[in-house]
Structure formats: structure tokens, C-alpha cells
Amino acid sequence: MKCGFYVKKADMHCMECAEKFFSFFSQRKVCCYYVENSVSDDTDFLLVFGGDGTMLRACSLIMGKKVPILGINFGRLGFLTELTSEANPEVVFQRLSSGDYNLENRSTIKINYNTAFYTALNDVVISRSDNINVVKVLVSNGKDTIQNFYGDGIIFSTPTGSTAYTLSAGGPIISPNLEAVAITPICPHTTSRYSILVPTDVKLFVTVEVRGKGNVAVDGKNLTPFETKMDFEISKGDGCLSFVKMDGQSFYSKLVKKLSCQG
């Protein structure tokens, strides 16, 4: 078995926990290595120590790779992580090595921006950047208009990202096993504020007009700003990411627990 370790190095507790896991796994003849900028294709599992932000950064390294990811939470909410910071290395090792776990596939979306494709596990956000003027947003499926408004921007979210920025913007929470994309306006200048769910196999065509500069963020990472007007395409991502599940907690029970501030 070969395991990669991706760690939030700025957090001392993350580092201490990761070192404990690394040592325990290595003593049991597991090939272990710390991940910096890339994940080896022959990695059996990627263990991530940190919060949801750390998970997103780790996921960006395994896009297109068939490497299951297991998160140990050191953040506040931990929607993407599976285990708590109190996880026992021996128990985790035994379950991984014996196959005593499930895999939950998470869909992705991709954006065509400046002739390049970028893939998101959570969301793609297009918004105003360096000015106070609203932007004009038009979204269609190539035939019918889906959204047409002035506002601060727009969010395209996967089910995984529905508990992130989309939720704060008034969008729906989507079960991870659904194949859908949520289209949610950010502070629209209209009396009717709504999100729309569309199937993931629908290609979306987006035109954004802005006075000054506009911003594009993929899973929170800003791309090069654009000026005046830009056309985008949003479509289903290639493949999916596999999350290791072993705590037996359902999406709904985790949702209630996290959003009611019970832990």
C-alpha cells in the first residue's frame, strides 16, 4: 500500500497528527510520502490533515487521478473531511488495509476560460473585482435563457460545494449523490432572487459584462482577471473524485450537526 500525506503545515496540531500517522503506517511497511505539488499515480490513498480549504487544495492535485482521498479534520466545519482530529492511526490503518470502508464519488464541473479548462470540486464564482459597479450576467443553455440579471456576480456550484458559498448566497443544499449544478446569483438587483438547478450534462454558456475588471475563482483560487466583457462555458467535469467514508455518519446527520453549530 502506498499513501500520500497532504498537511496544513501552518497548523502545529496538523503536523503532529500527520507525523503520528506517517510513523505508524511506515512501521507497517506502507510506502508513505509527504505531498508538495503532485501526487504519484500509483498512490492508493491520499490522507489530508486540515480543514475544508486544505481538502480543496489537495483535491486539485488529484483531478483526473483515481486516488481516493481521506480527510482528517482540523478546521471549523469540516464538510469535506471524514474523521476528527482524534482519529486513531491503528484503526485507520486496519480499515484501509482490509478494505473496510466505502467510496463516495463526488462530481466536478469545469470552466472554459481564455481557451483553458479549469476543474472545480466546489464551485466556480464569477464576480466584480476592483470596482463598485454591478456586473451584467447572462446564462443560457445555448437555446433558452436561464439567468439574466445585474448584480455582484454568479456562483456555479456542485453538490459538494452547495454547503459553501452557495449556501451563504441563499442557494440550495444538494445531496452529494445528485447530478446537478446550482446556479446562484450574488446580490442580484431584482425583486425575484432565486437559484436554479440544472442537470450536469447541460452545457452552460455565460456572458459577463463589467465596468472595470471581473474576477473568476475556481474553488477559491483566483484566475487572471478579465476586463469589460467575457464569455465562458460551464460543463460537467471529466471524471469524479472518490472520498473514503468510514465513520458511518450520513450526509444529512452531518449537515444538521455542522449547521446547528453542535460540532
Side-chain angles (χ1 to χ4, degrees), residues 117-165:
F117 284 97
Y118 302 88
T119 303
L121 172 64
N122 255 11
D123 51 36
V124 171
V125 180
I126 306 172
S127 61
R128 64 187 189 184
S129 180
D130 63 347
N131 60 84
I132 61 174
N133 296 299
V134 297
V135 299
K136 182 180 180 181
V137 180
L138 174 64
V139 183
S140 78
N141 60 5
K143 179 181 178 181
D144 301 309
T145 297
I146 297 175
Q147 292 272 22
N148 188 8
F149 66 93
Y150 287 91
D152 285 358
I154 191 164
I155 307 168
F156 298 89
S157 171
T158 67
T160 299
S162 68
T163 53
Y165 193 3

Side-chain angles (χ1 to χ4, degrees), residues 1-3 5 20-32 45 47 70 72 83 87-101 244 246:
M1 187 164 67
K2 183 174 183 178
C3 293
F5 287 69
K20 186 191 307 181
F21 270 76
F22 195 101
S23 176
F24 187 91
F25 277 42
S26 297
Q27 291 172 12
R28 277 130 190 99
K29 309 303 180 183
V30 177
C31 179
C32 299
F45 299 99
L47 277 64
L70 174 63
I72 292 89
L83 304 176
N88 187 312
E90 182 176 2
V91 173
V92 175
F93 168 77
Q94 290 176 348
R95 297 192 64 173
L96 291 180
S97 59
S98 66
D100 184 19
Y101 60 87
V244 176
M246 60 172 59

Side-chain angles (χ1 to χ4, degrees), residues 42-108:
D42 61 350
T43 301
D44 294 298
F45 299 99
L46 178 61
L47 277 64
V48 180
F49 300 79
D52 287 340
T54 307
M55 282 288 287
L56 284 176
R57 289 189 290 275
C59 286
S60 70
L61 301 178
I62 58 172
M63 292 290 185
K65 301 176 183 286
K66 295 181 179 180
V67 179
I69 186 168
L70 174 63
I72 292 89
N73 185 39
F74 285 84
R76 184 174 63 86
L77 287 175
F79 272 114
L80 300 182
T81 54
E82 176 67 5
L83 304 176
T84 70
S85 58
E86 304 301 320
N88 187 312
E90 182 176 2
V91 173
V92 175
F93 168 77
Q94 290 176 348
R95 297 192 64 173
L96 291 180
S97 59
S98 66
D100 184 19
Y101 60 87
N102 295 312
L103 291 180
E104 182 177 82
N105 292 329
R106 300 293 185 98
S107 61
T108 60

Side-chain angles (χ1 to χ4, degrees), residues 6 64 118 156 189 213 243 254:
Y6 189 84
Y118 302 88
F156 298 89
H189 285 215
K213 291 185 178 181
F243 282 35
K254 177 180 283 190

Side-chain angles (χ1 to χ4, degrees), residues 113 127-131 210 212-216 224-228:
Y113 178 47
S127 61
R128 64 187 189 184
S129 180
D130 63 347
N131 60 84
V210 58
K213 291 185 178 181
N215 188 64
V216 181
T224 304
F226 66 94
E227 295 184 6
T228 311

